[in-house]
PDB file of all heavy atoms in Angstrom:
ATOM      1  N   ALA A  16      -3.899   6.397  25.611  1.00 97.00           N
ATOM      2  CA  ALA A  16      -5.102   5.831  26.250  1.00 97.00           C
ATOM      3  C   ALA A  16      -6.415   6.455  25.763  1.00 97.00           C
ATOM      4  O   ALA A  16      -7.476   5.941  26.085  1.00 97.00           O
ATOM      5  CB  ALA A  16      -5.059   5.867  27.751  1.00 97.00           C
ATOM      6  N   GLU A  17      -6.349   7.530  24.989  1.00 97.00           N
ATOM      7  CA  GLU A  17      -7.568   8.156  24.480  1.00 97.00           C
ATOM      8  C   GLU A  17      -7.932   7.565  23.131  1.00 97.00           C
ATOM      9  O   GLU A  17      -7.246   6.684  22.573  1.00 97.00           O
ATOM     10  CB  GLU A  17      -7.353   9.670  24.362  1.00 97.00           C
ATOM     11  CG  GLU A  17      -7.097  10.377  25.665  1.00 97.00           C
ATOM     12  CD  GLU A  17      -8.351  10.277  26.556  1.00 97.00           C
ATOM     13  OE1 GLU A  17      -9.427  10.593  26.109  1.00 97.00           O
ATOM     14  OE2 GLU A  17      -8.155   9.893  27.753  1.00 97.00           O
ATOM     15  N   THR A  18      -9.063   8.005  22.597  1.00 98.00           N
ATOM     16  CA  THR A  18      -9.575   7.516  21.283  1.00 98.00           C
ATOM     17  C   THR A  18      -9.454   8.614  20.206  1.00 98.00           C
ATOM     18  O   THR A  18      -9.657   9.780  20.522  1.00 98.00           O
ATOM     19  CB  THR A  18     -11.053   7.128  21.435  1.00 98.00           C
ATOM     20  OG1 THR A  18     -11.159   6.036  22.346  1.00 98.00           O
ATOM     21  CG2 THR A  18     -11.647   6.704  20.100  1.00 98.00           C
ATOM     22  N   VAL A  19      -9.108   8.160  19.019  1.00 98.00           N
ATOM     23  CA  VAL A  19      -8.938   9.103  17.895  1.00 98.00           C
ATOM     24  C   VAL A  19      -9.611   8.516  16.696  1.00 98.00           C
ATOM     25  O   VAL A  19      -9.621   7.287  16.499  1.00 98.00           O
ATOM     26  CB  VAL A  19      -7.455   9.404  17.632  1.00 98.00           C
ATOM     27  CG1 VAL A  19      -6.712   8.156  17.161  1.00 98.00           C
ATOM     28  CG2 VAL A  19      -7.268  10.512  16.614  1.00 98.00           C
ATOM     29  N   THR A  20     -10.162   9.386  15.867  1.00 98.00           N
ATOM     30  CA  THR A  20     -10.815   8.950  14.580  1.00 98.00           C
ATOM     31  C   THR A  20     -10.148   9.628  13.406  1.00 98.00           C
ATOM     32  O   THR A  20     -10.033  10.868  13.409  1.00 98.00           O
ATOM     33  CB  THR A  20     -12.305   9.238  14.623  1.00 98.00           C
ATOM     34  OG1 THR A  20     -12.925   8.552  15.655  1.00 98.00           O
ATOM     35  CG2 THR A  20     -12.983   8.819  13.333  1.00 98.00           C
ATOM     36  N   LEU A  21      -9.721   8.828  12.447  1.00 98.00           N
ATOM     37  CA  LEU A  21      -9.144   9.363  11.213  1.00 98.00           C
ATOM     38  C   LEU A  21     -10.129   9.225  10.100  1.00 98.00           C
ATOM     39  O   LEU A  21     -10.783   8.246   9.973  1.00 98.00           O
ATOM     40  CB  LEU A  21      -7.867   8.532  10.857  1.00 98.00           C
ATOM     41  CG  LEU A  21      -6.794   8.373  11.955  1.00 98.00           C
ATOM     42  CD1 LEU A  21      -5.611   7.600  11.426  1.00 98.00           C
ATOM     43  CD2 LEU A  21      -6.434   9.671  12.555  1.00 98.00           C
ATOM     44  N   SER A  22     -10.241  10.330   9.351  1.00 98.00           N
ATOM     45  CA  SER A  22     -11.287  10.394   8.292  1.00 98.00           C
ATOM     46  C   SER A  22     -10.775   9.966   6.919  1.00 98.00           C
ATOM     47  O   SER A  22      -9.590  10.170   6.600  1.00 98.00           O
ATOM     48  CB  SER A  22     -11.843  11.837   8.223  1.00 98.00           C
ATOM     49  OG  SER A  22     -12.365  12.214   9.481  1.00 98.00           O
ATOM     50  N   CYS A  23     -11.692   9.486   6.135  1.00 98.00           N
ATOM     51  CA  CYS A  23     -11.385   9.070   4.762  1.00 98.00           C
ATOM     52  C   CYS A  23     -12.687   9.064   3.964  1.00 98.00           C
ATOM     53  O   CYS A  23     -13.676   8.592   4.397  1.00 98.00           O
ATOM     54  CB  CYS A  23     -10.732   7.681   4.728  1.00 98.00           C
ATOM     55  SG  CYS A  23     -10.504   6.973   3.051  1.00 98.00           S
ATOM     56  N   THR A  24     -12.645   9.692   2.797  1.00 98.00           N
ATOM     57  CA  THR A  24     -13.725   9.571   1.812  1.00 98.00           C
ATOM     58  C   THR A  24     -13.177   9.023   0.535  1.00 98.00           C
ATOM     59  O   THR A  24     -11.993   9.191   0.233  1.00 98.00           O
ATOM     60  CB  THR A  24     -14.408  10.928   1.594  1.00 98.00           C
ATOM     61  OG1 THR A  24     -13.461  11.869   1.089  1.00 98.00           O
ATOM     62  CG2 THR A  24     -15.070  11.470   2.861  1.00 98.00           C
ATOM     63  N   TYR A  25     -14.039   8.373  -0.208  1.00 97.00           N
ATOM     64  CA  TYR A  25     -13.568   7.763  -1.452  1.00 97.00           C
ATOM     65  C   TYR A  25     -14.638   7.908  -2.499  1.00 97.00           C
ATOM     66  O   TYR A  25     -15.825   8.257  -2.247  1.00 97.00           O
ATOM     67  CB  TYR A  25     -13.267   6.270  -1.196  1.00 97.00           C
ATOM     68  CG  TYR A  25     -14.504   5.473  -0.799  1.00 97.00           C
ATOM     69  CD1 TYR A  25     -15.228   4.797  -1.813  1.00 97.00           C
ATOM     70  CD2 TYR A  25     -14.943   5.386   0.459  1.00 97.00           C
ATOM     71  CE1 TYR A  25     -16.369   4.105  -1.504  1.00 97.00           C
ATOM     72  CE2 TYR A  25     -16.109   4.693   0.834  1.00 97.00           C
ATOM     73  CZ  TYR A  25     -16.812   4.045  -0.176  1.00 97.00           C
ATOM     74  OH  TYR A  25     -17.945   3.354   0.148  1.00 97.00           O
ATOM     75  N   ASP A  26     -14.232   7.678  -3.691  1.00 95.00           N
ATOM     76  CA  ASP A  26     -15.165   7.637  -4.821  1.00 95.00           C
ATOM     77  C   ASP A  26     -14.779   6.546  -5.771  1.00 95.00           C
ATOM     78  O   ASP A  26     -13.565   6.353  -6.094  1.00 95.00           O
ATOM     79  CB  ASP A  26     -15.174   9.017  -5.579  1.00 95.00           C
ATOM     80  CG  ASP A  26     -16.366   9.145  -6.522  1.00 95.00           C
ATOM     81  OD1 ASP A  26     -17.308   8.345  -6.355  1.00 95.00           O
ATOM     82  OD2 ASP A  26     -16.387  10.057  -7.324  1.00 95.00           O
ATOM     83  N   THR A  27     -15.687   5.748  -6.219  1.00 92.00           N
ATOM     84  CA  THR A  27     -15.441   4.692  -7.154  1.00 92.00           C
ATOM     85  C   THR A  27     -16.701   4.387  -7.965  1.00 92.00           C
ATOM     86  O   THR A  27     -17.822   4.551  -7.452  1.00 92.00           O
ATOM     87  CB  THR A  27     -15.015   3.378  -6.429  1.00 92.00           C
ATOM     88  OG1 THR A  27     -14.777   2.361  -7.413  1.00 92.00           O
ATOM     89  CG2 THR A  27     -16.017   2.924  -5.432  1.00 92.00           C
ATOM     90  N   SER A  28     -16.488   3.979  -9.185  1.00 89.00           N
ATOM     91  CA  SER A  28     -17.595   3.624 -10.038  1.00 89.00           C
ATOM     92  C   SER A  28     -17.915   2.132  -9.992  1.00 89.00           C
ATOM     93  O   SER A  28     -18.884   1.655 -10.604  1.00 89.00           O
ATOM     94  CB  SER A  28     -17.342   4.050 -11.512  1.00 89.00           C
ATOM     95  OG  SER A  28     -16.128   3.466 -11.950  1.00 89.00           O
ATOM     96  N   GLU A  29     -17.059   1.398  -9.320  1.00 87.00           N
ATOM     97  CA  GLU A  29     -17.207  -0.061  -9.235  1.00 87.00           C
ATOM     98  C   GLU A  29     -18.224  -0.438  -8.152  1.00 87.00           C
ATOM     99  O   GLU A  29     -18.325   0.210  -7.122  1.00 87.00           O
ATOM    100  CB  GLU A  29     -15.834  -0.691  -8.941  1.00 87.00           C
ATOM    101  CG  GLU A  29     -14.790  -0.398 -10.027  1.00 87.00           C
ATOM    102  CD  GLU A  29     -13.649  -1.393  -9.967  1.00 87.00           C
ATOM    103  OE1 GLU A  29     -13.907  -2.536  -9.630  1.00 87.00           O
ATOM    104  OE2 GLU A  29     -12.565  -0.983 -10.249  1.00 87.00           O
ATOM    105  N   SER A  30     -18.924  -1.506  -8.436  1.00 86.00           N
ATOM    106  CA  SER A  30     -19.883  -2.071  -7.465  1.00 86.00           C
ATOM    107  C   SER A  30     -19.216  -3.035  -6.522  1.00 86.00           C
ATOM    108  O   SER A  30     -19.675  -3.244  -5.389  1.00 86.00           O
ATOM    109  CB  SER A  30     -21.044  -2.723  -8.181  1.00 86.00           C
ATOM    110  OG  SER A  30     -20.537  -3.784  -9.050  1.00 86.00           O
ATOM    111  N   ASP A  31     -18.084  -3.589  -6.979  1.00 87.00           N
ATOM    112  CA  ASP A  31     -17.364  -4.590  -6.171  1.00 87.00           C
ATOM    113  C   ASP A  31     -16.016  -3.951  -5.790  1.00 87.00           C
ATOM    114  O   ASP A  31     -15.121  -3.824  -6.606  1.00 87.00           O
ATOM    115  CB  ASP A  31     -17.124  -5.860  -6.994  1.00 87.00           C
ATOM    116  CG  ASP A  31     -16.313  -6.901  -6.212  1.00 87.00           C
ATOM    117  OD1 ASP A  31     -16.322  -6.830  -4.986  1.00 87.00           O
ATOM    118  OD2 ASP A  31     -15.729  -7.761  -6.857  1.00 87.00           O
TER     119      ASP A  31
END
Side-chain angles (χ1 to χ4, degrees):
Chain A
E17 296 295 311
T18 296
V19 65
T20 298
L21 308 184
S22 301
C23 173
T24 58
Y25 65 93
D26 194 13
T27 179
S28 57
E29 298 199 35
S30 58
D31 178 23

